[in-house]
């Protein structure tokens, strides 16, 4: 079965059209049962009523309504948790992500890829600010992150059941979905596409929400911001020492030493905070990909182990 998760926040102007296109694409997709899961993220514009009428006319529609606007990431996660498919596609409601890509993504999944991201080659109808900030941010995040990330992708991607189950269990209250997906290290590929303008309505990602999402991404995937203080303190101390040595004047060390010691102490506190943060984030220590009867378990089977064991072992 293929599940398609659609997070919606005040999408009344576009939803019927989105559903029609999704239904057409999924109707032609041979070899899959399918379900469409609409997640209403606290809309106030009649989106839920539209979803209700879609559910009445189509047997494959399921829906969730969140009690208020919890944000895009939470809505995606709610949909992933509700999805029952062997493969799950997350797609925006505004037709910026063309549903017509889904069959290609499903074909790659059949070829054995666990993650199929849709990578944006171009972005029509978006502000220069949005394009430039997104371009720079994904590259910065990739440089700073402890693991590599798919560039120029949003949350439009197909995920294998096994990965969906793992994501659903991570107790991270600030889950940055696109980062977490790559963190698990499952076989990942992408299809490229030209991103259309929003079909109707306005972007629901206000500047504030965009900033919150990028902050989340940086904090979840990288310790660089926490280490800044350590690096700064060390650099200032070293600079002060060098200046004092060159000038042969120990008094030159006084100020850098005071500042550097403070920054270093802060950095040490940061390291503890980091350890606590990772513990709270609750990602597994590692993910076993395959087992060939080695280790301390009897070699009964060579087939992949069930999901729970992949995490627990
Ligand atoms: N969305 C959501 N909750 C929010 C903001 C957005 O569920 O708080 C949904 C929205 O309905 C859309 C998707 O997330 O399906 C992407 O939002 P949008 O198209 O407004 O963002 P943009 O494409 O402008 O970045
Ligand atoms: Mg959009």
């Amino acid at each position: 079965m293929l599940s398609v998760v659609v997070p919606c926040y005040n999408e009344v102007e576009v939803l019927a059209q989105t559903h029609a296109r999704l239904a057409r694409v999924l109707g032609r997709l041979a070899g899959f049962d399918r379900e469409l899961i609409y997640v209403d993220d606290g809309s106030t514009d009649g989106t839920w009523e539209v979803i209700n009428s879609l559910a009445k006319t189509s047997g494959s529609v399921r829906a969730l309504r969140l009690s208020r606007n919890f944000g895009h990431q939470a809505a995606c996660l709610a949909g992933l948790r509700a999805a029952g498919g062997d493969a799950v596609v997350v797609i925006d409601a505004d037709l910026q992500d063309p549903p017509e890509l889904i069959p290609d993504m499903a074909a790659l999944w059949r070829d054995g890829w666990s993650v199929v991201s849709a990578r944006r080659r171009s972005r029509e109808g978006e502000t220069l600010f949005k394009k430039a900030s997104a371009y720079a941010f994904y590259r910065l995040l990739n440089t700073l992150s402890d693991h590599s990330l798919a560039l120029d992708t949003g949350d439009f991607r197909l995920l294998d059941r096994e990965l969906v189950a793992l994501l659903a269990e991570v107790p991270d209250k600030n889950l940055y979905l696109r980062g977490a997906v790559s963190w698990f290290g499952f076989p990942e590929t992408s299809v490229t596409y030209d991103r259309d303008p929003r079909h109707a309505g306005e972007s629901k990602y206000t500047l504030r929400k965009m900033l919150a999402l990028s902050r989340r991404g940086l904090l979840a995937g990288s310790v660089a911001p926490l280490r800044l203080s350590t690096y700064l303190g060390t650099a200032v101390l070293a600079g002060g020492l060098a200046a004092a040595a060159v000038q042969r004047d120990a008094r030159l060390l006084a100020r850098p030493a005071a500042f550097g010691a403070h920054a270093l102490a802060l950095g040490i506190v940061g390291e503890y905070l980091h350890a606590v943060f990772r513990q709270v984030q609750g990602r597994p220590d590692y993910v076993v990909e395959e087992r060939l009867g080695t280790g301390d378990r009897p070699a009964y089977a060579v087939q992949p182990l069930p999901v729970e064991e992949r995490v627990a072992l």
Side-chain angles (χ1 to χ4, degrees):
M1 177 158 82
L2 179 80
S3 306
V4 179
V5 170
V6 192
C8 312
Y9 179 49
N10 291 341
E11 299 289 6
V12 75
E13 287 162 274
V14 67
L15 207 53
Q17 189 121 21
T18 306
H19 179 75
R21 256 173 79 182
L22 274 168
R24 199 174 330 128
V25 169
L26 295 179
R28 283 199 298 247
L29 196 65
F32 283 96
D33 283 339
R34 45 206 154 250
E35 63 174 3
L36 267 164
I37 301 178
Y38 290 103
V39 183
D40 180 354
D41 183 19
S43 299
T44 51
D45 70 342
T47 293
W48 184 245
E49 285 67 32
V50 176
I51 292 174
N52 263 294
S53 66
L54 294 176
K56 281 199 191 92
T57 53
S58 162
S60 53
V61 169
R62 297 170 61 204
L64 301 173
R65 183 186 197 179
L66 307 188
S67 59
R68 63 168 173 85
N69 180 233
F70 282 92
H72 179 227
Q73 297 291 290
C76 290
L77 200 58
L80 287 177
R81 288 199 173 123
D86 303 294
V88 185
V89 172
V90 177
I91 189 168
D92 281 0
D94 61 356
L95 293 174
Q96 282 201 283
D97 303 334
E100 290 72 19
L101 282 183
I102 292 176
D104 293 344
M105 296 162 101
L108 285 163
W109 174 74
R110 278 202 192 284
D111 289 345
W113 297 99
S114 301
V115 182
V116 186
S117 303
R119 181 168 180 173
R120 302 153 178 173
R121 185 166 35 211
S122 66
R123 302 166 74 119
E124 285 287 318
E126 299 204 84
T127 60
L128 188 63
F129 170 74
K130 180 125 185 174
K131 285 192 246 189
S133 58
Y135 182 90
F137 175 73
Y138 287 127
R139 275 147 191 85
L140 174 75
L141 187 59
N142 205 18
T143 313
L144 292 183
S145 276
D146 322 343
H147 55 97
S148 70
L149 298 164
L151 287 173
D152 303 322
T153 61
D155 286 310
F156 183 21
R157 60 169 58 79
L158 178 148
L159 304 169
D160 183 74
R161 163 92 256 138
E162 212 170 342
L163 184 51
V164 171
L166 291 175
L167 287 169
E169 277 171 20
V170 172
D172 185 357
K173 297 290 173 238
N174 291 289
L175 193 73
Y176 181 67
L177 205 51
R178 29 196 112 156
V181 164
S182 304
W183 183 88
F184 277 96
F186 281 50
E188 189 167 341
T189 188
S190 62
V191 291
T192 32
Y193 73 108
D194 297 301
R195 191 160 163 88
D196 293 329
R198 184 175 245 285
H199 198 78
E202 280 171 4
S203 173
K204 307 301 178 302
Y205 255 100
T206 53
L207 182 63
R208 196 188 172 128
K209 283 186 176 172
M210 259 165 67
L211 285 174
L213 184 69
S214 41
R215 209 165 46 226
R216 203 183 250 228
L218 273 175
L219 290 186
S222 160
V223 285
L226 263 186
R227 297 238 157 99
L228 208 63
S229 190
T230 312
Y231 295 145
L232 197 67
T234 312
V236 169
L237 266 179
L241 267 175
V246 170
Q247 302 284 328
R248 294 177 178 281
D249 182 354
R251 280 171 306 174
L252 283 177
L253 194 57
R255 278 174 165 224
F259 175 82
H262 266 106
L264 264 181
L266 208 59
I268 292 167
V269 175
E271 290 298 329
Y272 281 93
L273 193 61
H274 169 229
V276 173
F277 172 67
R278 288 289 186 233
Q279 192 77 23
V280 172
Q281 211 178 16
R283 289 174 172 179
D285 291 331
Y286 51 82
V287 178
V288 177
E289 185 176 336
E290 213 173 319
R291 245 164 220 285
L292 289 169
T294 54
D296 48 21
R297 305 176 106 242
Y300 292 130
V302 289
Q303 75 266 32
L305 292 170
V307 168
E308 315 78 60
E309 294 197 43
R310 286 179 70 136
V311 188
L313 287 170

